[in-house]
Each structure stands twice: as C-alpha cells, then as structure tokens.
Amino acid sequence: MPLAHVIGLGKSGIAAAKLLHRQGWQVKASDRQISDALRQQQKTLHNLGIACDLGSSFSLEDAPLPERIVVSPGVPWDIPVLVQARAQGIEILGEMELAWQELSDIPWVGVTGTNGKTTTTALIAAIFQQAGFYAPGCGNIGYAACELALGEKRPDWVIAEISSYQIESSSTLSPQIGVWTTFTPDHLKRHKTLDNYYEIKAQLLRRSHHQVFNGDDAYLRQRGLKEWPNAYWTSIKGKQHLVSSPQNGIYIQDRWVMVQGDPILPAASLKMVGAHNQQNLLIAVAVARLAGIEREAIAEAIANFPGVPHRLELISAIDQIDLINDSKATNYDAAEVGLSAVQAPVILIAGGEAKEGDDTQWLHRIKSKAAAVLLIGEAAPHFAQRLEAVGYDSYEMVETLDRAIPRSLVLAKHYQAKGVLFSPACASFDQYANFEQRGDHFRQLCLELNQ
C-alpha cells in the first residue's frame, strides 16, 4: 500500500487525509500545533486507521518516506523540507489539487483575487443553486474541496474560492470559468515580489477555459487585453469604460446590469452596500451567463442574497449606532474598501498582526471617515505611529476587543457617529486562530450588549 503524508490538520488537511485513505493510500498526518480540537481530530483519524502526530513537523529523516505529500493551504510551498522532498522525487501537491484530480470531470468555477473572493464566490454559488444545480462553495469558503470529493452526492459544478497559496500547490487545476476579482499587494512576506504574486494568480486564469476580470481594478486594467485578449471584462462605470468590446463586457448602465448589451437585473437588487459589491455582482452575473443560467434565476438569487459573514456584516444597532463586523478585512486595501462603504462619521476598531503593504489610501480614508480609531493587538503601536505621521491623533490603544467595543459606543455617542466598524486591516494570528474566530468574538460581544 503506497504511503502518503498530509502536512497540516485544519479543515483542508483532515479532508485530504480522509480522501487519500478512501483512495487506498496508507496515510499519516502531522501538525506542529497541539490543541483540544486537534486532539479530537486525532482520535477521529485514528479510528479510521490514519496515523496522526501532533506537535511535530514532517521530516525526511523519518522512515519510510512517503510517495506523496499533501500540504494544507497555510503551509509555505517553498519550505526547505518540501524543496528537499521534491529533489528526492516525492510528489507534492495541495489539498485543492487532490480534490481536482478526483473531480476534474465536473466543471469548476475558480475565483481568485486579493479581495472580493468570498463575496463573489458566495454570490455565484447562490445563483447556481437557485438555478437548480448542486454547486456548494468550497476552498476558502464553506467546504474544503476534498470534502466535496468525499460526499455521497457529486456536485454539478464546483464553485471554489482559491487563494494564491492554493494555486501555488495546484499545478493542473483548470476551471471551466476562472475569475480574478482584484489585485493589490498582499502576502508579500510569502511571495516576495508583486510580480511573483501576480504570476501565481495568472497561472489559474491561463488554465481556465473562460476568464472574467474586474475591469475597474487599476492593475488588472493596465495588463488588459494585451495579456488577456479573449477575457470577459466588467465595469460599474458603464459601457464606455470597458477594457473589452461590449460583446465581451458586463457593466452597469442606467442602473441596470448589462451582459453583452442585454439587461439582466437592476443593480440595486443586491442589498449589500459599497461600489466593490456592485463589482462583485457583475462578476457573479458574468459567470452565471457563461454557464447558461437564465436571468430569472439570477435575479431571484441576487434579490434574496443575505450577505457574507465577517464582511461588512451588520450585527446589531444600539441607540441607533450600527455595529459592523468586517473581520475579513485582513489587509489595508480590504479595510479601505470597508471604510469607503460605510456612512461617516464612524468609530473604527483596527489592529491585529500587521501585514506588509501600502497603507496610504487606508490612512487617507481614516482621516475622511473616522471620528476616532481604537487600536488592538500587536499592530497597535505601529498603527499609532502611522496615524501620527499623517497628522491624525484621535486614536486610543485599547489592546483587545473586550475593551474596544464598550469604549467605541461611548465615543460614537460623543461624536454622533453613525456606526462602529471593526475592520482590522490585519491578520488575526496574534490573538485568534483565524479571522472567523475573531469576527465571531466581535459578534458575541456586540450581542451581549443587547442582553
């Protein structure tokens, strides 16, 4: 029986281990972390006959060596042990690639981009399901891709949110429809240069049968038809702003979503605020039409779409002050978009584990929108310095969400602010396991205020 090793035991790693086991591999899994949740997963895997080591890293000194290594998305593709394993002829792939190998006979929609992936993926999945397809979202949203491969019911379409990490480790994944939502500097600690980050994402689009691009994104627009001559392009600014000819265009004209000159639905049908969500709407409609879905199903799905947790999610209102969870804003660009979407003045809660990137536009938006800023997490001292550098001094360092939320309400009343926006502009790993746990904590604290 061939031996496979799975590195990382998050949702993706567990699903990959189970799928390999079903395929007839002898499977061993490992994770550097130790927690109660991981111990429970360890028991589950042991009961299936899958060996599982916690608190340890994969080593090529362990015998016997595996024929295949499957890595979870959070595992860097170029760590020394994987470089050495490749040199020894060991096959290495990501969990998404493993799922693709099992489900490549089914059409995929692959959604990538710096920001906007989750909302766009959720919109696309909602439209496909309204049209009668079994097409759940997977990848960075909903299921792990391998969970779909394990399911008793095979999908009609796979709607996958795919990060640069997952593209890196998926060398043959070839969607029927590839989507690129936005492109701005992110994950440079891992990908080193902007060009390298671009090329990783471009790989997925080059392997896609159809391509849909956000034509209002400055970087993608610059690359334009020279690199993507047959792609479909969107614009919320109207037909005259399209990169492509109107025949390959999806745009808003006279407040209607138009696809190749055909009116599909009023742009106001989507209840989510912000110009970025109008862009996400255009991309989702473009994908649906490329898949042959009728306008009636598209219109009904959009009208009933509830939004996405942790992305400009209205949790509650206290004394007419909206409490908004934007925990998914893990970089400056996403946080700037979040601020742009809300009504001023607002009290901003920001901070966490800082990322590399250009904070210029984010700081400019703070100055125009935020009456005060409450800083939490490791990034608080750095953010304070950056705010001081641009002449903004209405900030406080409060360290944690538990302190930030009651203080934000006091400040909101003082400044007559319309809302409190939790939009960190940071990763979560200094205080939380992921942005979902961070957003859930914000939601919990807000709801407790109403009790």
Side-chain angles (χ1 to χ4, degrees):
M1 185 180 295
L3 176 63
H5 192 109
V6 176
I7 302 177
L9 278 177
K11 180 171 63 174
S12 296
I14 291 163
K18 290 179 178 178
L19 181 57
L20 288 164
H21 179 71
R22 192 179 75 177
Q23 291 174 343
W25 292 81
Q26 179 186 344
V27 183
K28 183 175 182 179
S30 62
D31 196 294
R32 292 184 303 172
Q33 307 298 319
I34 300 175
S35 68
D36 291 341
L38 284 172
R39 288 191 183 97
Q40 188 59 47
Q41 295 293 355
Q42 183 182 43
K43 288 180 184 177
T44 301
L45 293 176
H46 273 305
N47 290 338
L48 294 173
I50 298 171
C52 182
D53 289 341
L54 300 181
S56 67
S57 298
F58 172 73
S59 172
L60 290 172
E61 296 178 4
D62 298 336
L65 289 177
E67 295 178 30
R68 167 180 277 188
I69 298 172
V70 177
V71 297
S72 298
V75 178
W77 192 234
D78 57 355
I79 55 175
V81 70
L82 295 184
V83 174
Q84 294 162 16
R86 287 187 196 95
Q88 295 188 30
I90 298 173
E91 180 191 18
I92 304 173
L93 64 156
E95 179 264 344
M96 185 74 71
E97 175 78 0
L98 180 64
W100 164 255
Q101 292 177 0
E102 188 79 2
L103 298 173
S104 59
D105 59 324
I106 294 168
W108 284 51
V109 176
V111 181
T112 195
T114 309
N115 298 306
K117 296 188 296 295
T118 298
T119 300
T120 303
T121 304
L123 278 167
I124 293 168
I127 295 171
F128 276 60
Q129 288 166 46
Q130 180 66 45
F133 293 112
Y134 175 53
C138 72
N140 283 358
I141 181 174
Y143 298 94
C146 282
E147 287 183 282
L148 295 185
L150 285 164
E152 293 182 10
K153 184 179 180 181
R154 287 175 69 78
D156 300 308
W157 283 78
V158 175
I159 314 296
E161 178 186 339
I162 308 175
S163 70
S164 56
Y165 298 177
Q166 289 161 317
I167 297 170
E168 242 184 341
S169 58
S170 301
S171 61
T172 68
L173 172 56
S174 305
Q176 177 71 10
I177 304 171
V179 169
W180 198 331
T181 59
T182 56
F183 185 75
T184 51
D186 196 17
H187 305 303
L188 297 186
K189 189 177 291 184
R190 174 150 164 176
H191 298 316
K192 312 305 182 194
T193 69
L194 191 64
D195 284 342
N196 192 39
Y197 180 41
Y198 177 90
E199 279 303 314
I200 289 167
K201 289 192 174 295
Q203 290 171 21
L204 182 74
L205 276 291
R206 292 187 185 117
R207 294 196 299 263
S208 299
H209 185 68
H210 296 293
Q211 299 135 349
V212 179
F213 284 87
N214 172 0
D216 294 327
D217 180 272
Y219 198 95
L220 297 178
R221 188 177 181 85
Q222 176 189 343
R223 297 278 183 152
L225 295 178
K226 180 179 178 183
E227 290 194 30
W228 309 101
N230 300 312
Y232 294 82
W233 291 85
T234 65
S235 178
I236 65 173
K237 301 176 183 178
K239 180 168 64 175
Q240 72 283 359
H241 197 73
L242 287 170
V243 172
S244 62
S245 70
Q247 190 57 33
N248 277 19
I250 305 90
Y251 53 96
I252 294 176
Q253 199 80 36
D254 298 325
R255 293 181 283 189
W256 274 78
V257 173
M258 309 288 289
V259 178
Q260 300 171 314
D262 188 19
I264 303 298
L265 77 164
S269 299
L270 182 65
K271 298 178 179 65
M272 300 175 71
V273 299
H276 64 292
N277 281 319
Q278 294 286 287
Q279 185 57 250
N280 296 336
L281 168 64
L282 290 182
I283 291 172
V285 172
V287 170
R289 293 301 284 162
L290 283 169
I293 294 175
E294 298 297 329
R295 72 181 71 188
E296 292 78 15
I298 297 172
E300 189 164 352
I302 296 301
N304 295 321
F305 188 71
V308 176
H310 312 299
R311 191 58 172 133
L312 289 170
E313 176 190 13
L314 177 61
I315 302 299
S316 62
I318 295 177
D319 297 331
Q320 299 183 313
I321 300 166
D322 290 339
L323 301 173
I324 302 167
N325 171 22
D326 199 30
S327 180
K328 199 174 190 306
T330 59
N331 57 49
Y332 298 120
D333 293 288
E336 191 270 331
V337 166
L339 272 169
S340 299
V342 299
Q343 191 175 357
V346 68
I347 306 302
L348 174 65
I349 304 172
E353 183 182 273
K355 287 186 175 181
E356 294 182 18
D358 184 355
D359 62 4
T360 306
Q361 291 302 313
W362 178 63
L363 293 169
H364 176 75
R365 195 68 63 187
I366 287 173
K367 292 178 71 175
S368 66
K369 284 287 190 102
V373 180
L374 297 175
L375 300 175
I376 66 171
E378 286 181 2
H382 171 65
F383 281 3
Q385 290 176 352
R386 295 296 298 139
L387 289 168
E388 290 275 5
V390 296
Y392 186 97
D393 60 7
S394 183
Y395 68 85
E396 299 175 18
M397 290 195 281
V398 293
E399 299 182 359
T400 66
L401 276 178
D402 300 79
R403 295 178 181 174
I405 291 172
R407 180 59 181 157
S408 70
L409 290 172
V410 172
L411 291 171
K413 291 172 184 175
H414 175 75
Y415 288 107
Q416 297 183 311
K418 308 294 184 181
V420 172
L421 175 65
F422 175 46
S423 191
C426 283
S428 57
F429 306 122
D430 59 332
Q431 295 180 334
Y432 301 93
N434 48 50
F435 75 81
E436 294 96 339
Q437 186 188 83
R438 177 172 66 184
D440 288 342
H441 188 210
F442 178 82
R443 183 190 296 113
Q444 173 196 340
L445 292 168
C446 290
L447 293 176
E448 286 174 356
L449 294 172
N450 285 316
Q451 295 174 359

